[in-house]
Amino acid sequence: MTNWKFLFDSDICIGCAACEVACKIENEVPLGRRRREVVTVEKGEYPNVEKYFASMACMHCATPPCLTACPAKAISKREDGLVLVDKDKCIGCGYCAWACPYGAPQLGTSGETGKLGTMDKCTFCVQRIDRGEKPACVTACTTKALIAGDASELETIKRERAARKLISIT
Amino acid sequence: MEKTENIEITAISRRDFLKLSALIGAAAALGIKGSRVVDALEATQPTPQASSEKLVYTVCGVCSGGCAEIAHVKDDRLMYLTGNPDDQIARGRLCVKGYAGRQLLYDPDRLKYPMKRTNPEKGIDVDPKWVRISWDEALDIIAKKFNEVKEKYGPQAIIFLMRPNDFAARLANAIGTPNYITHMNTCYSTHAVVWKATVTGTDRPWSYDIENAKYILSFGWDGPGKAKNMQAQHFINAKTNGARIVVLDPRQSITASLANEWIPIKPGTDLAFALAMINVIVNEELYDKEYVSKYCNGFDKLKSFIQEYTPEWAEKITEVPASTIRKIAREFATTRPAIIPTHKRDAAGPNYANSWRLAHAIVILNALVGSIDRRGGYILPRSFAFPKFEEAFPAPPYPSKVKERIDGREKFPITDAANKGSFPTLVEGIISGKPYEVKAALVQKYNLLSFPNPKRALEALKKLEFIAVIDVLPFEMVQLADVVLPEHCYLEATSVVPRTYFALYPQVAIRQPVVKPLYDTKGFGAIIPELAKKMGLGNYFEGVSSTAWFEKQLSAVGYTFDQLKKSPNGLLGDPKPFVPKESFGTPSKKIELYSTVLEQYGYDPLPAWKPKRDLPSTEYPYYLIIYRPPQNIMTQTQNNPLLTEIWGENHALINTMTSKKLGIRDGEYIFVESRAGKIRVKAKVTGGIRPDCIAIDHGFGHWSKDTKNAYGRGSCDGDLIPVVTVDELLALKDPAMAAMMEDVCVKVYK
C-alpha cells in the first residue's frame, strides 16, 4: 500500500504559486479559501538577507493532531495515508485548526465547499489519487519543487537530488 | 489499457531521444553530464481520464513564450490546462498564469459582442454608454470613418496600434499609412537593435540554453521571478546541476534569492560593471581564444577601447568592490559554459539611457566566452523557412506613403527595418500635431496603462476623433473606444505557432479552439480582411485568409495544415541534432564586437560608458525600480481573481533602514512621486532592496469599471514615468530609441 506524502524543496521553489492555482481549479475551491498557500519568509538584514518560499498545505501526518483533537470524529486517515474530513460530521468548532502545526484547516463562513462553516483542507486530490493520478498542485509545479509519491519514493528522489548537487560541487 | 501504455512508452522514448540527440554533441565537447533532476517524473502524454474527457492540443496565449498546452475538456467545458510534454518550450508544465488562463475564457467581464459608444465624452469615470451593434454595423462604422479621415486628412492620419501582424500590416499598407506602431521601445528595442547590428542582422534570439550553463550571471534578469515557464525550468535545472549563479540587481529578485551571490548594484551602473569585466577577461586573456578568432570581429579595437575601464574605475561608479568585479569576471570566463541571459525589461531592456550600451556589452561578454549559438549559451533561431506573407500573397501595388511617422521612428534607422514603434513619442506626436495631425486609430490588445505616463497618453488619445479597439477584456483602452470589436480569447482561436522561446530544432504547434467560442466574437485574422473589404480595399485580400496563410506556411516546408491538426501531440517537426552556426548575419558574417553597423549609422560602435539620465537629487532622492510579480503579465491579468488572490495589489518596496528614517511602517499607504506624477501605494518594508531605491511592481491601477476584479487594485507605476520626445532621444544617440521606463527618481512621503 502506498503511503502518500508531499515533498517540498525550497531550494528550487520560485514562489509562483502555480500549485495554489492548480489546486483551486481542480477542486473548485472558492476565493478566500486556501487549501494550499505559498508563504514567503525573509531572514536577515540588508544586504545579508535571505528569502525563501514554502508551499504550505495539509501534510497528511502519520498521527494527525487534528484527528486526535476532533470531538466529532469527522477526521479520518485512509490506509494510503490521506487525511480527510467528513463535512457531514464536522461541527465547525475549529479545534482541528488549533491542533494543526501547519495552519492547514480552513474554516471559512462560506458553505461552498461543504456545510456552512465546516472545516476544509487539502484532500491530496483524493479524486485524482483514486483514478491513478497525482495531486493537481504537483503536476502543475513549474520547477517540480513540490512532488508527491510514496514516502520511500520521495526519500530516494531527495537523496538523488542531494547527491547530484554534491557531485556537481566537487 | 495495453494500448495506453504503448502510447506512453512511445512518448517517453521519443522524449529521451530528443534529450539525447540534443545533448550528445555538447556533452562530448563540454563534458556536460546530461541530466535534468526530476525529468522522468510525469513526463508522459496524458490520457483522457473518462470517456467524457477530451484532450485538445493548443498553445498558451498569456505571453509570447508560446508554451504548447493540453486542454482537458469535459462536456464542452474546459476543466483545466496542462503543459505539453513533447513541446521543446513547455516540457509538460505551464506557469502560474498559464494554468489560470482558464479563467480568462470564463471571465464574466469579457467583451461579448460588438458595441458602439453613445456618450461622446471620454475619460476616467466616464460611462461610454455602450450600445450593442452587429458585426456588420460595427465594421461599416469603422470603414466609413477611416475613409473619411483618409479623404480629409490623408492616410497618415490613421494609426495602427498593435503588435506586429501580417494581416494588419497589409491593411496599413493598403490604406497608405506609415503609422503602424508597436510597443517595442518600452519592451525590448535595446536588445533587438544591438543583436541585429552585432550578431543576427534580424531580431534578437529568445532561446537560452541556461540549463546547460555552469555559470549564470544576471544583470537584473529575473526569468524565474516572472515565473517564465521555460526560463524557470532551465534555471532550476542548472541550479540543481550545480551551476554557479550571480545576480546583480538593486532589488533582491526571486532569481537573486535563489542565487549563490546577490550583488545589490546601484541602478543604471551595470554597464560599468560589464565593461570592467571585459577589461579583466581581455587583459588576463581568459576569453575563448578559438571562438573569438574564428567567429568574432573587432577584438583588437575592443582591446584598446577597454583599457580605461578598469575594475577600480568601475568600483567608483557601481559601489561594488574592484576585487568582487575581478572575481566575477574570472569566474564567468573560466566556468564554462557561461551565460548572461537577458530578456526584455531587465537592466539591458529599454529602462535607462545607457541600457542599449549594456545590451552591447552583454553580447560582447557572451561572445568572449563562446556562448553565442553554442550549448549552454544563446541559441539563435532554428525555425522552419516559412515564406514571407507578402511573397505568399502578392498584393496589388500599394499607394505611396509619407516618410515621416507620428512616432518619429524613421529617424532611428536600425529600428526602422523591422516593424517597431514607440509609445512615448507617439503620444507627444499626437498632442503636438507634429509632424502632422492624426485623427483615427485601430487598436488591438494594447492597454493604456502600458504607456509611460498613461495620463498623458489619455490626453493624446482623447484628441483623436475616432478609435476602434479590438480586444478580449474591457480594460482602459476599450473605455476610450468609439467602436469595440470583441476578439476570440486565445483558447478559442486558431493559429500555427513556431517555437521561439526555446527551440533546438524547427517545430510548430497548433493553436485551436478548446471549446466553441462562447460569444459573438471573431478571430483577428477574420476581422482585418472584412474591414478591408468594407473600406473598398478588398482587392488586397483576395484569397487571403488565416487558413490559406497556415496552408502556405506549412506547405512550404512539406506539411499540410490538416497534418498539424491531426498530429497526435499537436506538434510537427522532428528532433534534429544541434549543429552550431559558423556564420552570422552581420556584414562580416562574424559577431561584430566592434559594430560596423552601429558605426555606419553614427552610433558608438563600442559601448562607451555613459551614465543613466536621472540621478538622485535633493528633491527626488531615490531611484525608482519597476518589477513584475510572478502572477501577472503586463496589465493583462489583473481581472483574474485566481491570480489577484495571490498578488492582489502593488506595493512600494522600501528598505528597512530607509523606512525607519522616514517613519514609514510596513503596510501603510505612502505617496511615491516623480517629476512626472505621483501615486499612492502601500509600503512593503524589506531587507531585500538597496536603501536608496524604491521598487514598484507593474500591472495595477486599472480604472475601467467594466473589469470588475481589476478595478481599483493598487496604482499605476506608469504615472511615475516621464514621457520622452524624439528630440531628446536623438540627442541621446540611442539607436533603440529606448523609452527609459525606469530612468527617473522619486521621493516618498506619507
Side-chain angles (χ1 to χ4, degrees):
Chain A
M1 177 57 84
T2 313
N3 177 21
W4 285 107
K5 284 278 172 248
F6 288 116
L7 174 67
F8 173 73
D9 187 345
S10 70
D11 278 355
I12 60 172
C13 173
I14 57 169
C16 70
C19 48
E20 266 192 77
V21 166
C23 170
K24 275 229 143 84
I25 293 174
E26 167 68 29
N27 296 294
E28 295 178 1
V29 182
L31 293 173
R33 187 81 47 85
R34 295 174 94 159
R35 288 187 179 179
R36 179 170 286 286
E37 182 171 0
V38 176
V39 179
T40 309
V41 181
E42 192 177 297
K43 286 197 326 196
E45 279 176 25
Y46 177 87
N48 300 310
V49 61
E50 289 172 20
K51 189 163 63 186
Y52 297 97
F53 303 105
S55 181
M56 305 291 289
C58 174
M59 303 292 272
H60 298 268
C61 304
T63 51
C66 61
L67 185 150
T68 318
C70 179
K73 301 208 176 333
I75 299 168
S76 59
K77 188 168 174 71
R78 298 204 325 182
E79 250 184 54
D80 62 359
L82 273 57
V83 175
L84 300 171
V85 57
D86 181 340
K87 292 190 184 185
D88 288 330
K89 286 188 188 161
C90 175
I91 56 170
C93 67
Y95 199 26
C96 51
W98 295 11
C100 174
Y102 301 105
Q106 303 273 292
L107 289 141
T109 49
S110 145
E112 285 171 71
T113 51
K115 243 167 39 183
L116 187 71
T118 55
M119 191 267 266
D120 188 68
K121 69 164 194 71
C122 161
T123 64
F124 217 87
C125 284
V126 57
Q127 70 282 9
R128 290 173 65 97
I129 294 291
D130 286 349
R131 59 175 195 238
E133 286 182 279
K134 297 222 167 150
C137 54
V138 162
T139 48
C141 179
T142 310
T143 62
K144 295 163 184 153
L146 182 68
I147 56 178
D150 182 60
S152 60
E153 183 197 344
L154 297 182
E155 286 152 16
T156 310
I157 291 170
K158 178 92 189 177
R159 278 191 199 123
E160 197 201 309
R161 285 182 180 181
R164 194 181 301 282
K165 205 176 243 175
L166 284 172
I167 287 159
S168 312
I169 291 163
T170 51
Chain B
M1 191 61 206
E2 264 185 38
K3 206 174 172 200
T4 309
E5 278 179 10
N6 278 337
I7 293 167
E8 294 198 344
I9 288 161
T10 314
I12 293 168
S13 43
R14 189 174 171 280
R15 195 168 158 74
D16 280 349
F17 165 69
L18 183 161
K19 198 165 63 178
L20 282 173
S21 67
L23 285 168
I24 278 168
L30 304 163
I32 292 169
K33 289 180 210 118
S35 55
R36 293 176 201 150
V37 178
V38 282
D39 202 38
L41 288 178
E42 307 127 20
T44 50
Q45 284 288 351
T47 44
Q49 284 310 313
S51 55
S52 58
E53 191 182 87
K54 188 175 75 166
L55 302 181
V56 183
Y57 287 83
T58 191
V59 176
C60 184
V62 170
C63 80
S64 20
C67 294
E69 65 184 0
I70 303 167
H72 300 248
V73 180
K74 219 174 189 170
D75 305 324
D76 211 25
R77 187 165 170 84
L78 170 62
M79 304 308 288
Y80 61 98
L81 297 159
T82 54
N84 185 337
D86 290 344
D87 174 31
Q88 294 180 85
I89 300 173
R91 295 178 172 181
R93 304 275 155 156
L94 297 173
C95 81
V96 57
K97 301 166 287 264
Y99 294 118
R102 174 184 184 268
Q103 189 65 27
L104 176 68
L105 178 67
Y106 296 119
D107 190 325
D109 294 341
R110 274 184 61 183
L111 294 165
K112 302 180 179 76
Y113 39 75
M115 302 188 296
K116 69 175 176 189
R117 138 184 242 114
T118 56
N119 182 359
E121 200 197 325
K122 290 181 181 180
I124 299 173
D125 287 334
V126 177
D127 182 357
K129 301 215 164 85
W130 299 119
V131 171
R132 179 175 184 167
I133 52 175
S134 68
W135 273 96
D136 204 43
E137 186 184 351
L139 291 167
D140 272 338
I141 296 172
I142 302 170
K144 190 164 165 263
K145 188 69 201 182
F146 279 7
N147 279 337
E148 271 172 29
V149 167
K150 189 174 145 187
E151 195 65 30
K152 202 165 159 193
Y153 305 99
Q156 73 284 354
I158 301 168
I159 61 170
F160 281 54
L161 197 50
M162 56 188 73
R163 289 178 174 77
N165 176 281
D166 292 313
F167 285 57
R170 169 156 299 192
L171 180 57
N173 283 331
I175 292 171
T177 175
N179 293 314
Y180 192 125
I181 289 142
T182 70
H183 69 296
M184 300 312 175
N185 83 330
T186 62
C187 189
Y188 66 89
S189 64
T190 42
H191 308 286
V193 162
V194 165
W195 278 90
K196 178 185 172 176
T198 59
V199 183
T200 64
T202 54
D203 206 340
R204 60 151 303 170
W206 298 107
S207 235
Y208 328 111
D209 191 19
I210 295 168
E211 76 185 341
N212 285 311
K214 282 285 167 202
Y215 198 89
I216 301 163
L217 176 61
S218 149
F219 287 93
W221 170 79
D222 189 24
K226 294 198 290 184
K228 236 5 152 200
N229 184 16
M230 71 306 292
Q231 295 182 12
Q233 289 194 43
H234 274 251
F235 176 84
I236 291 301
N237 282 332
K239 179 176 157 68
T240 319
N241 285 334
R244 186 160 176 85
I245 302 155
V246 177
V247 174
L248 302 161
D249 199 322
R251 173 185 70 97
Q252 187 184 43
S253 63
I254 289 174
T255 308
S257 74
L258 291 162
N260 301 88
E261 206 170 336
W262 169 45
I263 299 170
I265 192 168
K266 202 191 241 189
T269 68
D270 307 66
L271 173 63
F273 192 103
L275 290 170
M277 277 182 72
I278 299 173
N279 178 295
V280 173
I281 293 168
V282 166
N283 286 335
E284 296 185 8
E285 296 190 14
L286 302 173
Y287 52 93
D288 184 332
K289 292 196 184 71
E290 197 195 332
Y291 187 92
V292 169
S293 71
K294 248 173 125 171
Y295 304 110
C296 300
N297 245 3
F299 182 79
D300 293 339
K301 282 176 179 161
L302 173 71
K303 192 171 178 178
S304 50
F305 157 83
I306 208 69
Q307 293 309 316
E308 61 180 293
Y309 301 120
T310 61
E312 284 69 24
W313 164 84
E315 175 177 324
K316 288 185 206 118
I317 293 166
T318 59
E319 292 180 2
V320 181
S323 57
T324 306
I325 302 174
R326 257 194 195 96
K327 180 189 76 123
I328 288 167
R330 286 171 186 157
E331 284 175 2
F332 174 76
T334 55
T335 319
R336 292 189 209 151
I339 185 170
I340 304 175
T342 55
H343 191 89
K344 297 190 175 169
R345 288 277 294 279
D346 55 29
N351 288 322
Y352 302 118
N354 62 8
S355 287
W356 75 276
R357 297 166 185 275
L358 175 63
H360 190 177
I362 288 174
V363 168
I364 294 172
L365 281 166
N366 282 300
L368 288 177
V369 295
S371 281
I372 294 177
D373 209 59
R374 295 298 181 270
R375 296 310 306 268
Y378 281 76
I379 306 294
L380 297 184
R382 278 164 170 71
S383 40
F384 285 121
F386 285 154
K388 287 197 165 61
F389 183 82
E390 291 297 314
E391 287 158 16
F393 300 107
Y398 291 121
S400 63
K401 289 184 220 166
V402 294
K403 193 176 166 289
E404 284 188 303
R405 284 168 52 106
I406 191 68
D407 63 355
R409 194 199 69 191
E410 77 287 352
K411 297 178 181 73
F412 300 82
I414 305 178
T415 61
D416 205 2
N419 197 6
K420 314 287 182 195
S422 163
F423 275 6
T425 57
L426 163 71
V427 167
E428 291 310 298
I430 296 174
I431 288 175
S432 68
K434 283 175 190 153
Y436 43 73
E437 296 281 339
V438 294
K439 296 290 177 185
L442 182 65
V443 188
Q444 187 218 11
K445 284 194 196 157
Y446 269 157
N447 195 310
L448 189 68
L449 303 189
S450 303
F451 281 71
N453 199 342
K455 291 197 171 112
R456 187 145 176 93
L458 174 66
E459 288 315 305
L461 292 167
K462 274 165 76 175
K463 231 190 122 196
L464 301 181
E465 280 178 17
F466 181 82
I467 303 175
V469 177
I470 303 166
D471 215 322
V472 176
L473 280 171
F475 279 126
E476 289 67 28
M477 192 65 88
V478 169
Q479 299 305 314
L480 303 180
D482 293 274
V483 173
V484 181
L485 302 176
E487 195 182 346
H488 294 330
C489 141
Y490 69 88
L491 293 163
E492 300 160 320
T494 309
S495 56
V496 173
V497 191
R499 316 288 69 216
T500 52
Y501 272 35
F502 190 72
L504 293 171
Y505 57 89
Q507 189 183 34
V508 286
I510 186 153
R511 174 178 288 140
Q512 55 189 333
V514 304
V515 293
K516 283 187 216 93
L518 300 179
Y519 305 109
D520 186 14
T521 55
K522 283 182 196 271
F524 189 67
I527 296 171
I528 295 295
E530 284 181 42
L531 178 59
K533 219 170 169 184
K534 296 261 188 198
M535 287 185 73
L537 300 168
N539 54 330
Y540 287 95
F541 285 88
E542 264 164 38
V544 178
S545 70
S546 294
T547 318
W549 177 219
F550 304 148
E551 288 293 2
K552 293 251 188 195
Q553 286 174 295
L554 290 168
S555 67
V557 295
Y559 293 116
T560 64
F561 187 40
D562 197 50
Q563 223 176 329
L564 180 56
K565 279 197 279 193
K566 287 187 180 143
S567 161
N569 59 5
L571 300 158
L572 281 180
D574 293 326
K576 287 191 175 59
F578 181 82
V579 181
K581 290 197 196 311
E582 299 279 328
S583 97
F584 300 89
T586 59
S588 61
K589 303 287 170 218
K590 292 188 176 189
I591 295 166
E592 298 199 348
L593 307 172
Y594 178 99
S595 172
T596 59
V597 175
L598 289 169
E599 184 179 43
Q600 178 199 334
Y601 288 103
Y603 301 107
D604 279 355
L606 284 162
W609 166 252
K610 289 272 191 283
K612 75 194 276 285
R613 178 188 56 184
D614 280 16
L615 294 171
S617 62
T618 329
E619 194 179 1
Y620 301 111
Y622 301 101
Y623 292 99
L624 174 68
I625 293 166
I626 296 168
Y627 72 102
R628 277 128 198 92
Q631 295 83 9
N632 281 306
I633 171 99
M634 298 184 258
T635 49
Q636 296 163 15
T637 45
Q638 294 75 20
N639 209 49
N640 187 330
L642 288 172
L643 297 173
T644 50
E645 179 159 48
I646 298 159
W647 197 295
E649 63 182 306
N650 54 355
H651 290 80
L653 296 186
I654 182 165
N655 179 281
T656 318
M657 290 176 276
T658 312
S659 74
K660 279 189 189 136
K661 198 175 86 188
L662 299 176
I664 290 169
R665 289 187 312 274
D666 187 65
E668 74 179 331
Y669 275 106
I670 56 168
F671 288 100
V672 180
E673 184 175 334
S674 77
R675 62 188 168 91
K678 69 173 173 182
I679 61 170
R680 186 168 170 266
V681 278
K682 280 184 192 156
K684 190 179 264 177
V685 175
T686 172
I689 188 168
R690 280 175 64 95
D692 57 0
C693 293
I694 301 293
I696 296 174
D697 44 308
H698 175 67
F700 292 92
H702 288 281
W703 53 259
S704 166
K705 288 178 181 160
D706 290 337
T707 47
K708 295 179 201 71
N709 184 64
Y711 176 73
R713 289 180 179 275
S715 290
C716 179
D717 54 289
D719 289 349
L720 301 169
I721 307 169
V723 176
V724 64
T725 63
V726 173
D727 287 342
E728 281 175 80
L729 289 170
L730 285 170
L732 282 168
K733 291 208 158 197
D734 174 353
M737 64 186 312
M740 293 183 277
M741 296 298 279
E742 289 178 45
D743 206 335
V744 65
C745 292
V746 294
K747 59 179 162 188
V748 288
Y749 53 92
K750 287 203 271 186

